[in-house]
Amino acid sequence: MVIAWALAAGAEAATIRGLVVSHQGERYQISFDAEVDAPAPEVFKVLSDYARLGELSPVITSVEVTPAPDGNAERVRSVLKTCFLIFCRQVVQVEDVTEPDRSTIVARMVPGAGDFKSGYCVWRIRSDGKRTLLRYEATRTTAFWIPPLIGAWIIERTMREHLEASVGRLETLVAKPARL
């Protein structure tokens, strides 16, 4: 899901470990672990409030949430604007998102509905006392060109920057109630 994103603001701040980005052709694999200074049920509540995804990351410029056609998921359409040096790109991703349990979020790309041919992501949310451990794993097959020699490096660098800000924002959103 788009919410892939430690704010280094003290010993108890959120942290990101083991961010790995690899690719084979147009297919990118992304994984990371994070620790968040917030209780797991509250983290799940924020991550599963798909209409609020734009509050997690400034690169998400719009989010639309509708029921998926099969009635078993929510369809989440996100528009992201990301820049590297002076080059900016708007990317649309459309995913059908399910919650198999209160600690797992699974999203599958809708082929042909955005800028990805295919992909999925899984968020695993686990309590660790007052903190929460997050595990994120995803694949994305782009429908747009990324320079092969530096593509994985650009994506890893961009992901790390956005993750550091977004995981910190996640802690802030857990602390404040959703707007009605």
Side-chain angles (χ1 to χ4, degrees):
M1 214 166 59
V2 140
I3 51 181
W5 312 277
L7 204 57
E12 293 300 313
T15 56
I16 295 173
R17 293 192 181 103
L19 173 62
V20 176
V21 177
S22 61
H23 75 96
Q24 185 172 18
E26 300 169 332
R27 184 173 187 246
Y28 286 80
Q29 295 177 302
I30 304 158
S31 65
F32 69 87
D33 295 296
E35 291 182 42
V36 181
D37 191 22
E42 297 302 314
V43 169
F44 181 86
K45 186 185 296 184
V46 169
L47 289 177
S48 62
D49 186 352
Y50 310 119
R52 293 180 74 190
L53 291 179
E55 295 178 48
L56 281 172
S57 175
V59 301
I60 302 171
T61 60
S62 73
V63 178
E64 297 172 22
V65 181
T66 58
D70 68 4
N72 295 323
E74 290 190 75
R75 180 153 291 175
V76 180
R77 180 184 188 275
S78 305
V79 178
L80 298 82
K81 182 178 180 183
T82 186
C83 297
F84 178 73
L85 299 175
I86 62 170
F87 304 102
C88 293
R89 177 168 181 89
Q90 181 172 293
V91 177
V92 176
Q93 65 179 28
V94 181
E95 299 170 296
D96 286 345
V97 184
T98 59
E99 299 161 9
D101 54 52
R102 301 298 290 169
S103 63
T104 309
I105 299 171
V106 178
R108 298 211 177 275
M109 287 289 176
V110 178
D115 293 316
F116 295 90
K117 295 176 185 174
S118 64
Y120 76 92
C121 78
V122 177
W123 281 96
R124 291 184 178 81
I125 303 159
R126 186 169 55 95
S127 180
D128 184 29
K130 293 182 180 180
R131 295 177 62 82
T132 298
L133 304 177
L134 299 173
R135 174 74 178 154
Y136 176 84
E137 298 172 330
T139 64
R140 300 278 189 259
T141 302
T142 61
F144 54 90
W145 183 78
I146 297 175
L149 296 177
I150 61 170
W153 178 81
I154 290 170
I155 289 174
E156 182 171 1
R157 179 183 165 143
T158 303
M159 286 283 298
R160 183 170 301 282
E161 289 171 8
H162 298 312
L163 284 168
E164 288 171 352
S166 296
V167 171
R169 286 182 181 205
L170 174 60
E171 289 180 346
T172 301
L173 289 173
V174 166
K176 76 177 188 180
R179 289 182 260 142
L180 299 178

